[in-house]
Amino acid sequence: MNKPLKRLLRKNKGKAMLSSYEVLFIESGFKKQDLNHVNLDASDEIIQKVRALIPKFKYDSEQISGKAESFLASTLLKAVYDKYKNSDCYIYTDAHEYCGMYNVSTESTFEFAFNVALKDSQHTCFLIDKEFNYTFTLNYYDNSHNDSPDTFDIQRRMIIDKQ
């Protein structure tokens, strides 16, 4: 299928999904007025920039209890938050392919990211700062998960050589 047609099909599907996508973030704690939607075209560009930087990222991961009440329970999230809390970042889930992403303050994003992962537990929650210094993937494994029930799987990629 050609790219323009594929993009049009994605946009059309996204129109039908966008309302429920927004509700996911609002129900996770974000205020509607703080969710700055990044459209599909701009989201695709951001994803491409991140993919180009992958060789320059250092990878770390950890798992923490699903009962964690705050992102501060995560060593990886806390370290990045302390360094970048006064900036903005992008948050999105697997549905970004159709719905785009949101640009939100880092403070709000980190505060509510676990809620997004919990509410959308069959999908991944992603965080990327606007300067592409870090990315996170957050997955929540519910009690039916064989290896790590009721656990957050957190993966961090930090830039090691930005040019």
Side-chain angles (χ1 to χ4, degrees), residues 108-124:
S108 293
T109 300
F110 278 57
E111 182 178 350
F112 302 125
F114 278 179
N115 296 347
V116 173
L118 276 167
K119 289 187 178 298
D120 204 19
S121 66
Q122 298 303 313
H123 298 107
T124 302

Side-chain angles (χ1 to χ4, degrees), residues 24-87:
L24 166 69
F25 288 92
I26 292 170
E27 287 181 350
S28 296
F30 291 95
K31 295 178 181 163
K32 184 174 181 160
Q33 65 268 21
D34 295 336
L35 290 171
N36 301 308
H37 185 251
V38 178
N39 69 35
L40 194 58
D41 294 329
S43 296
D44 287 350
E45 288 178 26
I46 292 165
I47 298 297
Q48 288 302 321
K49 287 178 185 176
V50 170
R51 286 183 179 147
L53 288 170
I54 286 176
K56 297 181 179 188
F57 283 129
K58 178 184 178 226
Y59 173 83
D60 293 298
S61 67
E62 70 180 335
Q63 289 190 341
I64 63 172
S65 169
K67 293 175 182 30
E69 294 184 21
S70 167
F71 72 89
L72 296 172
S74 163
T75 304
L76 299 178
L77 284 163
K78 183 180 180 328
V80 169
Y81 177 79
D82 288 343
K83 186 171 183 179
Y84 297 104
K85 66 183 168 193
N86 294 321
S87 62

